[in-house]
Amino acid sequence: MRPRDIPVCGSASVTALFKQNPDSIKRLFFDAPASSRLGKMASYLAQNKRPYRMVQPAELQKISGTIHHGGVVAIIAAPELREPTLDEVADWGKAREGVLVLDRIGNAHNLGALVRTAAFFGIRKIVLADDQQQALPGESAYRIAEGGMQYVDVFRVWDLPGLCRALADTGYDVAGAAVASKSPVSKAMREIGPNRPVALVLGNEETGLSANVAAACTRFVTIPGTGNVESLNVSAAAAVLMWALWPGRKTLADGE
Amino acid sequence: MRPRDIPVCGSASVTALFKQNPDSIKRLFFDAPASSRLGKMASYLAQNKRPYRMVQPAELQKISGTIHHGGVVAIIAAPELREPTLDEVADWGKAREGVLVLDRIGNAHNLGALVRTAAFFGIRKIVLADDQQQALPGESAYRIAEGGMQYVDVFRVWDLPGLCRALADTGYDVAGAAVASKSPVSKAMREIGPNRPVALVLGNEETGLSANVAAACTRFVTIPGTGNVESLNVSAAAAVLMWALWPGRKTLADGE
């Protein structure tokens, strides 16, 4: 596998990949139990002259680099993570797109979990810090996202404080998640209201938001707790905050 | 290590253990980097004639059975998981205790994540299905809970539908988390109100609630999503539901 290729593992992730972007699959490998479920995918790849092959479990593990391959591995090119233009940011604001800003989320499993939750709630824009501490979309993140990676656009930005200011300029409420702030999320829900676009900014698992990013947030939000444990896991906290702050929530919740 | 002993690993978990229940520590092992932080604990164990010892990392891995030991391992007796009495259930209702009911959560990491979130939100009663599919408190669950295990009482119940009915009889709203129901959580929040005690029932990661348990719930709650990914991870869903349904939430949130 070339260094710029990513093995996408597991039935949910590969199925979402095939549904959303079938031409991104460069090669497909699977074991015998999975082969019966892949007829349509194999036909498509055959028509488009892309290799697909049934292999032994040991080879699947070698190809994917994980024991958690779930019987099927699609090889794709690593997505190019570019900066959004200011025009794009303005368009996000007009469309009131939810934006998730990740300031050095270091654990690839956490990145995958956040992508799964974002995709579940329809938050389609994810901006990563261009920083060596930041986990990038790779095998683990694709697998843990359970197909969610196909429903989000991932960007990478060198000047994350600048991006936060650009979001604020275009009308976003830029909410930084903070453990120690005195701004409970229920208060933020009332103040933001259902119509304003929201960007949620999450900091590093150990060190939280960097000072420059925090300074560019328009508010902080905290999930109040008992203090028994120091904090929620970042993916648990993010699920609460996405559910509470995402402006489409009310429509979706009450419309059902 | 005897089979009924559990290695509790990592600084957060061992610190919480020592703070809440120091006499439960039967033996303590640690590596050189951790030793400087453990002076108080070592003194206490010495006074109480409990063995503690600095060991090589390889031995710590052998003692704990994991590479994720975080430099410190306390050996405790596995907690006895008994059934709550009907009187206890009635007392929970009077005190409006949050109750988390787990109907065969199979993954020990998920159990640990749920315990961490429950401890964070002050939900102190956790009832497990007495079923071979149900993960039990062991090394992984203690470690992932980051000390949260010390702030919850864990029970195990053979007749989980009967427990749900007993909770309902004592005034609980017994809310089963369901993917396919038409009862969004925001509606449940309005209907339940801030004062009624709530038991949240979570089903198996793959198969959901068993039919008998579902029949004993007084309502279902769903977190509405886009359908892009099939569901939230159980720990993400549980974080949203605990935050939304826990009756103490409003006080805690608005009081800050």
Side-chain angles (χ1 to χ4, degrees), chain B residues 173-189:
Chain B
D173 213 303
V174 182
V179 171
S181 106
K182 294 280 182 196
S183 306
V185 58
S186 54
K187 183 159 165 274
M189 286 169 75

Side-chain angles (χ1 to χ4, degrees), chain B residues 109-241:
Chain B
H109 283 229
N110 284 340
L111 174 60
L114 294 171
V115 168
R116 177 175 175 179
T117 301
F120 182 87
F121 286 127
I123 296 172
R124 299 189 301 174
K125 306 299 176 191
I126 300 186
V127 183
L128 311 180
D130 191 354
D131 184 292
Q132 61 179 10
Q133 285 188 280
Q134 174 65 51
L136 297 176
E139 183 277 316
S140 302
Y142 270 85
R143 176 164 43 83
I144 302 294
E146 292 266 338
M149 206 67 88
Q150 302 310 314
Y151 297 92
V152 298
D153 300 321
V154 183
F155 299 85
R156 185 160 53 163
V157 165
W158 175 254
D159 178 14
L160 209 58
L163 183 273
C164 291
R165 285 189 292 268
L167 286 165
D169 286 346
T170 197
Y172 273 87
D173 213 303
V174 182
V179 171
S181 106
K182 294 280 182 196
S183 306
V185 58
S186 54
K187 183 159 165 274
M189 286 169 75
R190 287 192 302 270
E191 290 179 1
I192 296 173
N195 294 320
R196 193 163 176 203
V198 175
L200 174 62
V201 190
L202 302 173
N204 178 267
E205 293 94 329
E206 300 295 325
T207 56
L209 296 171
S210 60
N212 287 341
V213 169
C217 290
T218 59
R219 71 164 69 235
F220 298 105
V221 285
T222 297
I223 302 170
T226 55
N228 288 343
V229 291
E230 196 183 326
S231 64
L232 290 172
N233 171 281
V234 67
S235 65
V240 171
L241 293 171

Side-chain angles (χ1 to χ4, degrees), chain A residues 97-111:
Chain A
E97 292 269 8
V99 179
L100 186 62
V101 179
L102 304 185
D103 179 16
R104 299 165 300 119
I105 295 294
N107 181 295
H109 283 229
N110 284 340
L111 174 61

Side-chain angles (χ1 to χ4, degrees), chain A:
Chain A
M1 195 173 64
R2 277 164 290 175
R4 300 276 305 156
D5 284 351
I6 293 178
V8 176
C9 301
S11 184
S13 294
V14 174
T15 303
L17 185 64
F18 180 66
K19 189 173 155 199
Q20 290 292 309
N21 197 359
D23 293 333
S24 68
I25 301 178
K26 297 165 76 170
R27 300 184 290 288
L28 184 74
F29 302 93
F30 46 87
D31 62 14
S35 65
S36 62
R37 304 190 306 267
L38 299 172
K40 202 175 147 194
M41 214 179 294
S43 305
Y44 184 90
L45 293 171
Q47 278 168 24
N48 291 275
K49 302 196 171 27
R50 303 288 174 96
Y52 61 95
R53 190 154 56 90
M54 186 159 82
V55 297
Q56 295 299 315
E59 194 179 348
L60 211 50
Q61 189 177 331
K62 200 175 155 196
I63 290 166
S64 63
T66 175
I67 58 169
H68 305 291
H69 49 64
V72 54
V73 181
I75 306 296
I76 63 167
E80 229 181 293
L81 304 180
R82 60 175 183 81
E83 304 225 336
T85 65
L86 283 177
D87 282 351
E88 282 176 308
V89 171
D91 287 343
W92 298 353
K94 277 177 212 149
R96 297 203 295 244
E97 292 269 8
V99 179
L100 186 62
V101 179
L102 304 185
D103 179 16
R104 299 165 300 119
I105 295 294
N107 181 295
H109 283 229
N110 284 340
L111 174 61
L114 294 173
V115 168
R116 178 175 174 179
T117 302
F120 182 87
F121 285 128
I123 296 172
R124 300 189 299 174
K125 306 299 175 189
I126 300 186
V127 183
L128 310 180
D130 190 354
D131 185 292
Q132 61 179 8
Q133 283 187 283
Q134 173 64 54
L136 298 176
E139 182 278 315
S140 301
Y142 270 86
R143 176 165 44 82
I144 302 294
E146 293 265 339
M149 207 65 88
Q150 302 310 315
Y151 297 92
V152 298
D153 299 320
V154 182
F155 298 86
R156 184 160 54 162
V157 165
W158 176 254
D159 177 15
L160 209 59
L163 184 272
C164 290
R165 285 189 292 269
L167 286 164
D169 287 345
T170 198
Y172 273 88
D173 213 303
V174 182
V179 171
S181 107
K182 294 280 182 193
S183 306
V185 58
S186 54
K187 183 161 164 272
M189 286 169 75
R190 287 192 301 270
E191 290 179 0
I192 297 173
N195 294 319
R196 193 162 177 205
V198 176
L200 174 63
V201 190
L202 303 174
N204 177 267
E205 293 94 330
E206 299 295 325
T207 57
L209 296 172
S210 60
N212 287 341
V213 169
C217 291
T218 60
R219 74 164 67 238
F220 297 106
V221 285
T222 297
I223 303 170
T226 55
N228 288 343
V229 291
E230 195 184 327
S231 64
L232 290 171
N233 172 280
V234 66
S235 65
V240 172
L241 293 172
M242 286 191 228
W243 182 79
L245 298 180
W246 176 48
R249 175 184 65 83
K250 283 185 182 294
T251 321
L252 197 58
D254 297 338
E256 281 216 349

Side-chain angles (χ1 to χ4, degrees), chain B residues 27-162:
Chain B
R27 299 184 292 286
L28 183 74
F29 302 93
F30 46 87
D31 61 15
S35 65
S36 63
R37 304 190 306 267
L38 300 173
K40 202 175 147 194
M41 215 180 292
S43 304
Y44 184 91
L45 294 171
Q47 279 169 24
N48 290 276
K49 303 200 169 26
R50 302 289 173 96
Y52 61 96
R53 190 156 54 92
M54 186 159 81
V55 297
Q56 295 298 317
E59 194 178 347
L60 211 49
Q61 190 177 328
K62 198 175 156 196
I63 290 165
S64 63
T66 175
I67 57 168
H68 306 290
H69 49 64
V72 53
V73 181
I75 306 296
I76 63 168
E80 228 181 294
L81 304 180
R82 60 174 182 82
E83 303 226 336
T85 65
L86 282 177
D87 282 350
E88 282 176 308
V89 172
D91 287 344
W92 299 352
K94 277 177 212 148
R96 297 203 295 246
E97 292 269 9
V99 179
L100 186 62
V101 179
L102 304 184
D103 178 15
R104 298 164 301 118
I105 294 294
N107 181 296
H109 283 229
N110 284 340
L111 174 60
L114 294 171
V115 168
R116 177 175 175 179
T117 301
F120 182 87
F121 286 127
I123 296 172
R124 299 189 301 174
K125 306 299 176 191
I126 300 186
V127 183
L128 311 180
D130 191 354
D131 184 292
Q132 61 179 10
Q133 285 188 280
Q134 174 65 51
L136 297 176
E139 183 277 316
S140 302
Y142 270 85
R143 176 164 43 83
I144 302 294
E146 292 266 338
M149 206 67 88
Q150 302 310 314
Y151 297 92
V152 298
D153 300 321
V154 183
F155 299 85
R156 185 160 53 163
V157 165
W158 175 254
D159 178 14
L160 209 58

